[in-house]
Amino acid sequence: FPSWERSHPYRYSIHNGEINTLRSNENWMHARQAMLASDLFGADLPKVLPIIQQDGSDSAKLDNCLEFLWMSGRSLPHAMMMMIPEAWQHDQDMEDYKKAFYEYHENIIEPWDGPASVCFTDGILVGATLDRNGLRPSRYLLTEDNTLILASEAGALPVDPAKVVFKGRLQPGKILIADLDESRIIGDEELKRVICQRAPYRDW
């Protein structure tokens, strides 16, 4: 049930929707804790367990997992691609390096599936991703004064149409990133081309 303790935002994410696979995701995360090892955490690893806050909402538990993956050395977009992957198994047009990334990571973590639109940030990267079925709306626009707005519906905030540089909507399984260090927006294709080729996932 809703409560003040479960209100947004959490540490790294805000989530609109539901995680239908939550029970399975939580159980698998708990089961794997006995096998965890990390050079970054070292002997302090037991101090961060359990990873999933038992009395949290689905959003809080998603945030728990995202935080752990990020603090384990991955970028937030990388962690989000692991948790909320594209529908890649039967996509004959998808590049092999992307399929290799998703195939490798499906052996590490199960998809957090459901109708979900998730925004996330580490203070430098601000991003949003949509579930692979695209069952939650996420519309965005950029104004000429470099204001980026993303919301469930167009028109959530009053904006002068004459000042809109571009607008669109997130597609199923896609990610949109605003890099505050580089002062630019990074689209799904560029982002995944970089992340999916950082390691030899096909060999692995």
Side-chain angles (χ1 to χ4, degrees):
F1 294 101
S3 66
W4 284 114
E5 292 77 14
R6 294 181 174 182
S7 61
H8 286 80
Y10 293 102
R11 293 187 181 183
Y12 296 95
S13 64
I14 279 183
H15 163 224
N16 173 31
E18 294 80 39
I19 302 298
N20 295 337
T21 57
L22 182 65
R23 179 68 60 87
S24 173
N25 295 132
E26 189 175 358
N27 288 343
W28 275 111
M29 289 296 293
H30 184 74
R32 289 192 175 111
Q33 286 181 174
M35 300 183 293
L36 288 178
S38 170
D39 293 335
L40 292 174
F41 289 114
D44 290 328
L45 182 60
K47 295 178 182 178
V48 304
L49 303 180
I51 295 168
I52 303 296
Q53 177 185 342
Q54 297 301 312
D55 60 347
S57 64
D58 58 346
S59 300
K61 291 175 180 181
L62 181 145
D63 190 77
N64 293 154
C65 182
L66 179 63
E67 178 183 20
F68 180 76
L69 293 174
W70 181 74
M71 295 193 77
S72 299
R74 298 167 178 88
S75 68
L76 275 185
H78 184 146
M80 288 305 312
M81 289 168 61
M82 292 172 63
M83 294 178 65
I84 305 178
E86 292 181 74
W88 59 273
Q89 288 94 336
H90 305 293
D91 187 345
Q92 298 181 358
D93 297 324
M94 182 179 285
E95 298 88 345
D96 185 67
Y97 62 79
K98 284 175 68 177
K99 283 193 173 184
F101 175 92
Y102 291 123
E103 187 176 350
Y104 172 79
H105 285 94
E106 78 169 351
N107 295 293
I108 297 173
I109 188 170
E110 293 70 33
W112 290 60
D113 252 343
S117 175
V118 182
C119 295
F120 52 91
T121 185
D122 60 6
I124 297 171
L125 297 180
V126 181
T129 190
L130 193 63
D131 69 278
R132 56 184 167 180
N133 294 311
L135 297 177
R136 278 287 183 269
S138 287
R139 297 188 175 275
Y140 58 86
L141 61 82
L142 180 71
T143 62
E144 58 189 20
D145 64 351
N146 287 327
T147 299
L148 178 63
I149 299 172
L150 183 139
S152 295
E153 291 84 21
L157 295 175
V159 177
D160 182 355
K163 295 183 178 180
V164 174
V165 177
F166 69 83
K167 61 183 178 179
R169 69 180 181 89
L170 274 179
Q171 300 296 318
K174 303 302 182 185
I175 296 179
L176 179 71
I177 296 287
D179 189 320
L180 304 185
D181 270 355
E182 297 184 8
S183 299
R184 71 187 187 99
I185 294 174
I186 304 172
D188 182 86
E189 185 176 345
E190 177 186 354
L191 176 78
K192 291 177 179 175
R193 184 170 62 247
V194 172
I195 290 177
C196 294
Q197 295 187 92
R198 280 183 177 158
Y201 293 114
R202 176 55 66 207
D203 294 340
W204 290 354

